[in-house]
Amino acid sequence: MVSKTLTFVTGNKNKLAEVKAMLGKVEGIEIENHDVDLPELQGEPEDICREKTRLAAESIKGPTIVEDTSLCFNALHGLPGPYIKDFLKKLGHEGLNTILAGFEDKSAYSQTIFGYTDGPGHEVHLFPGRCQGRIVPPRGNYFGWDPIFQPDGKEQTFAEMSHEEKNTISHRSRALAGLIQFLQQM
Ligand SMILES: O=P(O)(O)OP(=O)(O)OP(=O)(O)OC[C@H]1O[C@@H](n2cnc3c(O)ncnc32)[C@H](O)[C@@H]1O
Ligand SMILES: [Mg+2]
């Protein structure tokens, strides 16, 4: 593929840092960031990401990347899911643990879906990635819900791991792999 500069629309500096770190090793793809205040939409994660991509592209008027990230509790049939941002803000790490106090099943998965479009009116392509794990009392210091998410087969929460280790197994890295493959075939 020819070298491309793409606009990643996000207001989340930590997402941006992770994506930049992971794309650092990929030739031909450069990322520029625009912080457009996009609405927190409702619905199924795929539909949310499709609409978020469409709205972002209208503002960018060119090739656009967005992503939307969910934290899904199996005992709650996938909730809070895409609404995790509000749940985290209102309830905090302790409150998210309390929600699961009445359930034996603490299993959960994190999910990122990247959306890509060539621009307004063009098709939106979606690239999902998941990481299975469980919800634990908070340990470590990093952004979002990383302190309470412990991936399967690991002794540490995402917040206790090095950034490199998180980036090899995370929802975001798995989703990004699909996007990179797509961009390289363009
Ligand atoms: O501008 P956008 O990209 O929408 O950024 P955002 O912070 O609003 O992000 P989301 O709408 O995708 O909401 C996801 C929530 O989960 C948090 N989050 C996202 N990725 C995470 C990760 O890898 N680890 C921990 N928390 C994460 C994030 O801080 C939000 O509270
Ligand atoms: Mg958001």
Side-chain angles (χ1 to χ4, degrees):
M1 74 168 241
V2 268
S3 191
K4 250 185 181 281
T5 301
L6 303 163
T7 305
F8 179 27
V9 176
T10 181
N12 188 316
K13 297 273 169 290
N14 293 295
K15 282 187 182 181
L16 180 66
E18 287 192 2
V19 167
K20 281 196 158 164
M22 292 186 279
L23 277 178
K25 303 161 202 127
V26 181
E27 256 179 67
I29 306 172
E30 293 288 329
I31 286 288
E32 205 169 77
N33 172 236
H34 274 241
D35 179 3
V36 180
D37 195 14
L38 297 170
E40 296 296 329
L41 301 159
Q42 290 195 28
E44 291 305 313
E46 290 75 13
D47 298 331
I48 289 175
C49 190
R50 190 174 288 106
E51 182 63 6
K52 190 174 178 180
T53 310
R54 208 185 58 71
L55 290 171
E58 273 178 13
S59 160
I60 299 304
K61 301 187 174 30
T64 304
I65 296 170
V66 307
E67 61 106 295
D68 204 71
T69 296
S70 302
L71 185 64
C72 306
F73 298 175
N74 290 318
L76 302 182
H77 304 278
L79 289 172
Y83 312 118
I84 184 60
K85 189 175 182 172
D86 252 12
F87 273 71
L88 179 61
K89 195 153 67 182
K90 302 257 164 66
L91 307 177
H93 295 141
E94 301 290 347
L96 286 168
N97 269 271
T98 307
I99 287 181
L100 286 178
F103 298 92
E104 208 164 306
D105 182 7
K106 313 287 186 198
S107 69
Y109 61 91
S110 54
Q111 174 172 272
T112 289
I113 304 179
F114 277 92
Y116 172 82
T117 183
D118 284 334
H122 286 79
E123 191 182 346
V124 172
H125 303 269
L126 301 181
F127 305 92
R130 283 186 183 185
C131 180
Q132 304 289 339
R134 65 193 167 93
I135 302 304
V136 299
R139 301 196 318 264
N141 236 326
Y142 195 33
F143 83 103
W145 36 262
D146 272 356
I148 61 163
F149 187 80
Q150 183 167 332
D152 285 350
K154 300 286 176 184
E155 300 288 313
Q156 296 165 310
T157 64
F158 270 153
E160 292 176 307
M161 291 176 186
S162 67
H163 295 187
E164 291 71 27
E165 188 172 5
K166 179 186 173 190
N167 288 348
T168 27
I169 59 167
S170 78
H171 44 292
R172 181 163 293 103
S173 64
R174 287 172 180 164
L176 191 63
L179 174 63
I180 290 169
Q181 199 179 25
F182 173 83
L183 292 172
Q184 286 177 329
Q185 283 164 3
M186 278 171 75

